[in-house]
Amino acid sequence: MTSAQPVSSSVAWGDYDAILFDLDGVVTPTAEVHMRAWAEMFNAFLTAFDGAGDTSPYADADYFAHVDGKPRYEGVADFLASRGIELPEGSDDDPGTEQTVKGLGNRKNDAFNEVLERDGVTAYPGSVALLDHLRDLGKPLAVVSSSANAPAVLAAAGLADRFVTVVDGRVAKELGLPGKPAPDTFLHAAEVLGATHATSVVLEDAVSGVKAGRAGGFVLVIGVDRGAGVQTLTDAGADLVVPDLADTLPRDRARG
């Protein structure tokens, strides 16, 4: 089955067996919270670090190039490598004060959880409209997220009951599944839903996630442009790129 999709915003959702959603930046605007948490953590680290490497300020471009969509520790390692900074890997329980890859990752996670608890999160209206449409169609849905915070985010947004399964960072670690841009977490979610790559749709806002969908051979990979850029997501393998998931609805359902 070809992976090509006609250039049209509206999607014939009834043609597919399962729909696989990334979470941050696709269902909820928590990508913005993640971006702020990463920036605060990395800039504090770079300001204090006195070792070898490029310690110029961290920018949004670094997030999209090295961090977005990846498992947290891999994002830290990739960013540090891009700056020529070497740190020991450390252990999963390293405190945020520890100058290790995992210590920095844990410091970022602490910051994210503080913001989530303080401010909560509201899902994108267009994404909720699509979730409502898919519920009416009886389509099984999954969240596939590199974040270990996915269940907490879904609960905060009041959407936990919409998804049959959540394949997050913790599940991936337990099952030994490599994270995005490898396709394994998406393939596992499709299998849990009783579907295959040939009958499932992937929805992603991150380059690494789009690459994962394409590497998995999914029949349709939709990029949601929350800042990465239409051409960037297209080059990564998206069949269709939209600014909002409401744009994929039938005309009579779009925008309510």
Side-chain angles (χ1 to χ4, degrees), residues 13-56:
W13 291 108
D15 292 348
Y16 305 102
D17 291 345
I19 318 299
L20 314 178
F21 289 78
D22 178 44
L23 179 59
D24 301 320
V26 173
V27 177
T28 58
T30 38
E32 300 168 10
V33 181
H34 282 291
M35 289 180 72
R36 289 197 299 271
W38 280 114
E40 291 176 9
M41 183 277 289
F42 274 133
N43 280 321
F45 163 74
L46 292 168
T47 299
F49 185 66
D50 60 1
D54 178 4
T55 58
S56 60

Side-chain angles (χ1 to χ4, degrees), residues 49-235:
F49 185 66
D50 60 1
D54 178 4
T55 58
S56 60
Y58 171 93
D60 286 350
D62 293 308
Y63 174 81
F64 290 116
H66 305 293
V67 174
D68 190 19
K70 297 177 182 176
R72 189 175 355 120
Y73 299 143
E74 289 182 23
V76 174
D78 287 355
F79 170 73
L80 294 178
S82 77
R83 296 299 188 90
I85 296 174
E86 295 185 3
L87 291 181
E89 180 179 3
S91 61
D92 289 355
D93 57 358
D94 277 358
T97 53
E98 199 74 28
Q99 284 205 354
T100 63
V101 169
K102 293 187 174 181
L104 294 183
N106 292 342
R107 187 192 307 183
K108 179 265 169 184
N109 196 54
D110 292 341
F112 175 85
N113 284 324
E114 289 171 6
V115 174
L116 182 65
E117 182 176 352
R118 183 187 70 227
D119 299 338
V121 64
T122 301
Y124 292 108
S127 300
V128 175
L130 176 58
L131 290 174
D132 289 345
H133 180 58
L134 295 173
R135 179 180 58 192
D136 292 346
L137 293 176
K139 297 298 179 181
L141 313 179
V143 159
V144 182
S145 172
S146 297
S147 173
N149 302 305
V153 171
L154 286 171
L159 295 173
D161 63 339
R162 299 295 192 102
F163 300 93
V164 174
T165 188
V166 176
V167 181
D168 65 358
R170 290 189 177 93
V171 172
K173 182 177 180 180
E174 291 171 1
L175 298 178
L177 302 174
K180 306 168 188 178
D184 301 61
T185 50
F186 280 121
L187 292 169
H188 175 71
E191 183 180 0
V192 172
L193 298 184
T196 71
H197 66 281
T199 60
S200 302
V201 181
V202 166
L203 300 101
E204 266 284 358
D205 71 313
V207 169
S208 60
V210 169
K211 287 182 175 179
R214 179 53 55 231
F218 284 87
V219 67
L220 178 60
V221 179
I222 299 176
V224 186
D225 182 18
R226 308 289 193 192
V230 174
Q231 192 60 52
T232 297
L233 294 172
T234 300
D235 291 345

